[in-house]
Amino acid sequence: MMQRALAKQDRRRRILDAPVQLIAEDGSFSGLSMRKVARQAGVSVTTLYNLFGSKEEIRRALVAKLMDGVEHALERLPVDEPIERMEALITISTKLLTSYGTISRVSLLAGFKDPLEEDPAARRSVEILRTELKAGMDA
C-alpha cells in the first residue's frame, strides 16, 4: 500500500515537471497537449487523465505548487510586523516566480482568462496577496 502511494506521488511529480520543461522550450501553455505531457512524464495518456483530468487541472496544480512555496516561505518568516511581511511577500513571490521561469508567467496568465471565482488556484494567489497587503495597509 505504501509503495503504491509513493509510486502515485512520483507520477504526479513527473507529470508536473513535464509542462515546466515543455513550456520552457515552447513558451506557450496553449501549445501544450496532454499527449506531450504524458510522453515527457513517461506515463500513459490514460494515467495523466486519471490523475489530473484535464490540461487546466495540470495548470491549476502548477499554480497551487507555486502558492504552496509562497505560503511555506511566509510561514517561516521571522517577522510579525505587517509592513515587513508585505515587503517579504513581494520579495518571496518575485524569487519564486523567477525560479519557476516561463512556466509561472504562462500558468498564471492562462488562469486569469477565467473569472477568479471559477479558478481556485488564481483565487488562492489573490487571497494570499490580499491578506498580507491588507495587514500592511492596516498597520
Side-chain angles (χ1 to χ4, degrees), residues 31-87:
L32 196 65
S33 73
M34 295 295 267
R35 287 192 188 285
K36 286 180 186 176
V37 172
R39 191 175 321 118
Q40 182 74 26
V43 299
S44 70
V45 175
T46 303
T47 297
L48 187 59
Y49 278 104
N50 284 339
L51 291 176
F52 287 95
S54 70
K55 185 170 88 167
E56 177 60 18
E57 288 304 315
I58 291 173
R59 186 200 60 79
R60 287 179 181 171
L62 289 168
V63 173
K65 184 177 174 182
L66 179 64
M67 291 302 102
D68 287 346
V70 170
E71 282 183 326
H72 182 68
L74 284 172
E75 289 168 1
R76 294 182 315 173
L77 279 178
V79 294
D80 290 326
E81 165 62 36
I83 293 175
E84 289 178 18
R85 288 183 65 81
M86 267 179 43
E87 292 171 346

Side-chain angles (χ1 to χ4, degrees), residues 3-139:
Q3 191 73 332
R4 188 173 176 171
L6 289 174
K8 182 177 179 180
Q9 191 175 37
D10 180 58
R11 282 191 303 275
R12 286 183 61 84
R13 181 195 50 76
R14 289 194 331 254
I15 290 167
L16 290 179
D17 287 346
V20 173
Q21 296 163 353
L22 292 168
I23 289 173
E25 295 167 5
D26 183 303
S28 163
F29 190 78
S30 61
L32 196 65
S33 73
M34 295 295 267
R35 287 192 188 285
K36 286 180 186 176
V37 172
R39 191 175 321 118
Q40 182 74 26
V43 299
S44 70
V45 175
T46 303
T47 297
L48 187 59
Y49 278 104
N50 284 339
L51 291 176
F52 287 95
S54 70
K55 185 170 88 167
E56 177 60 18
E57 288 304 315
I58 291 173
R59 186 200 60 79
R60 287 179 181 171
L62 289 168
V63 173
K65 184 177 174 182
L66 179 64
M67 291 302 102
D68 287 346
V70 170
E71 282 183 326
H72 182 68
L74 284 172
E75 289 168 1
R76 294 182 315 173
L77 279 178
V79 294
D80 290 326
E81 165 62 36
I83 293 175
E84 289 178 18
R85 288 183 65 81
M86 267 179 43
E87 292 171 346
L89 173 64
I90 293 167
T91 302
I92 289 165
S93 298
T94 303
K95 284 181 181 176
L96 280 171
L97 288 171
T98 304
S99 72
Y100 275 66
T102 307
I103 187 70
S104 60
R105 181 179 53 80
V106 170
S107 296
L108 288 170
L109 291 176
F112 285 111
K113 291 179 184 174
D114 299 328
L116 290 179
E117 309 84 54
E118 296 178 22
D119 186 347
R123 190 173 58 243
R124 180 175 171 211
S125 66
V126 169
E127 191 54 41
I128 291 169
L129 293 171
R130 182 180 292 144
T131 299
E132 293 300 326
L133 293 175
K134 183 177 179 335
M137 289 175 8
D138 289 348

